[in-house]
Amino acid sequence: MRYFGALLFIITCNAVNAATLKPKLIAYRDDYAVADTDSVVRKSSVSAGISYGSDALFFGRTGPIKYPFMSTDIIFNAKPGFFIYGSAVKVLGYKPLVDEIDIGGGYYYRLSKKFTGTISYTRFFFNKEATIIKSSASNDINWKNSYDWKYLKTSFTADYLFGKSYDIFTTITNSKYIESSFNIFNDQDFLSINPSVSLIFGTQNFVQRYAVDHDYRLEADNIYIKNENGRRARANAEFNMLNYSFKIPLAYNMPHYTLEASYKYSIPVNVEGMLKNRRESFFNFTFYYVFY
């Protein structure tokens, strides 16, 4: 494992000086409102956030056109490590008042000072008029493990999607969290940056399911399906590399809240189902507040 981490380190980034981490006060959640500069602390808390995204991205895939969105999240963390959460998503410029509602829960664990993880379950509910590609999914079981090598943090995440479509994914992310040694407006605030490189591997049956669910928009969406069980459907079931991306989030932090802006460059590969994904830049803005 030590040599595997070293190899990933060499491939993805250069060494940087280690930063002393300050205590953070935010819940675990990988979707929408929670920023990339978060970590979990062992105390009960409730956090709420709002986020804007320039386009909806789902396991390295986007819809046939851009779907900018707003989302809200609320998360409750119990001191032993259990958490529950809910979120709502509105795609801007489209008819449904609310496109998506997610609810879920899970458990955060720490096996050592350097090794942490979470396991969680999420149920997705979509408006029947929702057009984002994520609407082809119903349930997700997520298992994430992270190891801090001091100069680099490596995370390995496994996802199993089931319901309307069945897919498995593995995501490998290498990141480096750095905080400013200076304050901005008072003696409690600071800046943080957490650049990362991610690789996503998996199946993409959800792309086929999305095309079938939106067959009335095939021409407009530039999707072509010969038949649901044909060659493209079989290709979607193959486990391949789906995407690699580079992300730079910059955050302004106070003891109870964080304001973050992030830039992400996504490169999709092995695109099946005639979904015309291309390299794309994503911009996200997030604000969240923590009550504890």
Side-chain angles (χ1 to χ4, degrees), residues 170-184:
T170 58
T171 305
I172 300 172
T173 301
N174 287 288
S175 61
K176 176 58 186 176
Y177 178 82
I178 304 171
E179 291 182 356
S180 64
S181 58
F182 54 87
N183 302 110
I184 308 301

Side-chain angles (χ1 to χ4, degrees), residues 76-254:
F76 171 74
N77 296 273
K79 188 174 180 180
F82 294 98
F83 55 89
I84 57 174
Y85 51 82
S87 66
V89 181
K90 164 62 179 173
V91 176
L92 303 178
Y94 291 85
K95 185 177 180 179
L97 179 62
V98 177
D99 291 79
E100 174 189 350
I101 294 177
D102 301 341
I103 58 172
Y107 179 71
Y108 165 83
Y109 56 88
R110 179 183 294 273
L111 300 181
S112 69
K113 185 177 180 180
K114 295 184 177 181
F115 191 94
T116 60
T118 59
I119 184 166
S120 64
Y121 164 76
T122 306
R123 179 70 168 93
F124 309 125
F125 299 91
F126 295 94
N127 187 294
K128 63 181 181 180
E129 297 182 10
T131 55
I132 55 178
I133 194 168
K134 187 180 176 182
S135 61
S136 60
S138 302
N139 307 270
D140 179 29
I141 296 175
N142 175 282
W143 185 33
K144 179 179 180 179
N145 291 282
S146 301
Y147 190 86
D148 192 343
W149 309 88
K150 183 178 179 181
Y151 297 108
L152 180 74
K153 185 176 182 179
T154 300
S155 297
F156 179 88
T157 306
D159 285 273
Y160 173 55
L161 266 66
F162 61 97
K164 295 179 66 176
S165 62
Y166 295 83
D167 286 289
I168 56 174
F169 305 94
T170 58
T171 305
I172 300 172
T173 301
N174 287 288
S175 61
K176 176 58 186 176
Y177 178 82
I178 304 171
E179 291 182 356
S180 64
S181 58
F182 54 87
N183 302 110
I184 308 301
F185 300 111
N186 55 53
D187 59 0
Q188 291 186 306
D189 66 356
F190 61 94
L191 298 177
S192 60
I193 187 171
N194 190 27
S196 64
V197 177
S198 295
L199 308 176
I200 302 176
F201 303 84
T203 59
Q204 45 188 331
N205 293 309
F206 69 96
V207 174
Q208 188 75 14
R209 181 72 258 170
Y210 176 84
V212 171
D213 289 346
H214 297 79
D215 58 354
Y216 63 94
R217 287 187 53 87
L218 293 184
E219 184 177 352
D221 290 351
N222 198 21
I223 299 175
Y224 170 73
I225 307 174
K226 186 175 181 180
N227 61 74
E228 185 175 357
N229 298 311
R231 179 183 60 81
R232 289 188 176 87
R234 291 193 296 272
N236 284 333
E238 295 176 358
F239 188 89
N240 289 312
M241 183 173 181
L242 302 182
N243 179 274
Y244 54 100
S245 62
F246 311 88
K247 190 170 187 177
I248 302 178
L250 176 65
Y252 172 76
N253 305 272
M254 284 287 288

